Amino acid sequence: MGLGGCILLIGAGAILTFATDWQTESVNLDLVGLIMMAVGIIGVATFTSIARRRRAVVPPVAPTVVEEPRHSGYER
């Protein structure tokens, strides 16, 4: 689930909790909304921590230079 899905869960949970006045005998919609908001917040926190790790900048390693011995133009 991406960041958009988590935000959608938070929004839908907030609507169920605060903007509706439906009453059902078998399901408490306020509790369902709170659970949806909690799952969305946990998802956002998880997504941002994973995204932060992926964007970690690793400093470049200096290349290793190997110098070979020079030979003179003639052999003895």
Side-chain angles (χ1 to χ4, degrees), residues 1-2 8 18 23 36 40 47 49 51 75:
M1 175 172 32
L8 184 69
F18 303 117
Q23 298 294 323
M36 288 174 68
F47 182 81
S49 69
E75 292 188 33

Side-chain angles (χ1 to χ4, degrees), residues 45-56:
T46 304
F47 182 81
T48 56
S49 69
I50 291 172
R52 187 178 308 138
R53 280 191 216 141
R54 286 183 186 168
R55 293 182 189 162

Side-chain angles (χ1 to χ4, degrees), residues 1-63:
M1 175 172 32
L3 186 61
C6 295
I7 292 173
L8 184 69
L9 270 177
I10 294 170
I15 289 171
L16 280 178
T17 302
F18 303 117
T20 60
D21 59 352
W22 299 329
Q23 298 294 323
T24 60
E25 293 182 18
S26 60
V27 177
N28 185 352
L29 291 178
D30 290 338
L31 182 61
V32 171
L34 289 173
I35 291 171
M36 288 174 68
M37 286 191 291
V39 169
I41 290 171
I42 291 169
V44 167
T46 304
F47 182 81
T48 56
S49 69
I50 291 172
R52 187 178 308 138
R53 280 191 216 141
R54 286 183 186 168
R55 293 182 189 162
V57 177
V58 178
V61 177

